[in-house]
Amino acid sequence: QVQLVESGGGLVQAGGSLRLSCAASGRTFNYYYMGWFRQAPGKEREFVAAITWSGDMTYYSDSVKGRGTISRDNAKSTVYLQMNGLKPDDTAVYYCAAGRRTPVQRTSNYSYWGQGTQVTVSS
């Protein structure tokens, strides 16, 4: 019922910036918030940030707090993740997800996932 497509990943130098986009379609009204997760090789998928479709409630992991900004454009049904001051440890596949349950940090509370976009940060 919901389709999510991420874009904006790429190769950047440490200290650089990227803006990731997640275009949502389908029955998005059934999902109260959108989240960004990331998964590096050999590691578990971890929470990055989340935002509600209304009310502008935002949530950030400690690893990106102060460097990442999540935002949305309801008219375009698109969620963004601006990442600044990128570090090699930020290298991962970044996934967009649609959720309806809390806490937003839990992977299991999301029902739909995008295909992911690769972010590689060189040192």
Side-chain angles (χ1 to χ4, degrees), residues 38-59:
R38 66 187 184 185
Q39 187 166 23
K43 296 184 178 180
E44 296 182 15
R45 190 167 299 185
E46 65 173 344
F47 171 78
V48 177
I51 189 170
T52 55
W53 281 117
S54 62
D56 290 320
M57 292 287 292
T58 58
Y59 311 82

Side-chain angles (χ1 to χ4, degrees), residues 90-120:
D90 293 321
T91 296
V93 177
Y94 284 69
Y95 297 92
C96 177
R100 62 201 307 174
R101 301 189 298 271
T102 56
V104 299
Q105 295 83 359
R106 295 185 63 181
T107 302
S108 60
N109 287 335
Y110 293 79
S111 298
Y112 292 93
W113 298 82
Q115 83 290 343
T117 184
Q118 177 71 49
V119 172
T120 302

Side-chain angles (χ1 to χ4, degrees), residues 2-122:
V2 176
Q3 297 79 44
L4 305 173
V5 180
E6 302 97 332
S7 62
L11 175 64
V12 297
Q13 290 185 322
S17 300
L18 282 176
R19 189 180 74 159
L20 307 181
S21 298
C22 173
S25 61
R27 294 181 175 270
T28 57
F29 57 84
N30 287 326
Y31 300 90
Y32 297 135
Y33 57 89
M34 302 292 291
W36 284 99
F37 289 76
R38 66 187 184 185
Q39 187 166 23
K43 296 184 178 180
E44 296 182 15
R45 190 167 299 185
E46 65 173 344
F47 171 78
V48 177
I51 189 170
T52 55
W53 281 117
S54 62
D56 290 320
M57 292 287 292
T58 58
Y59 311 82
Y60 296 97
S61 68
D62 291 338
S63 63
V64 302
K65 190 173 298 183
R67 300 188 298 121
T69 302
I70 189 169
S71 61
R72 56 170 169 78
D73 185 334
N74 288 47
K76 296 181 179 179
S77 296
T78 300
V79 177
Y80 306 94
L81 179 66
Q82 177 71 39
M83 291 284 290
N84 302 321
L86 287 165
K87 308 173 183 179
D89 285 348
D90 293 321
T91 296
V93 177
Y94 284 69
Y95 297 92
C96 177
R100 62 201 307 174
R101 301 189 298 271
T102 56
V104 299
Q105 295 83 359
R106 295 185 63 181
T107 302
S108 60
N109 287 335
Y110 293 79
S111 298
Y112 292 93
W113 298 82
Q115 83 290 343
T117 184
Q118 177 71 49
V119 172
T120 302
V121 183
S122 62

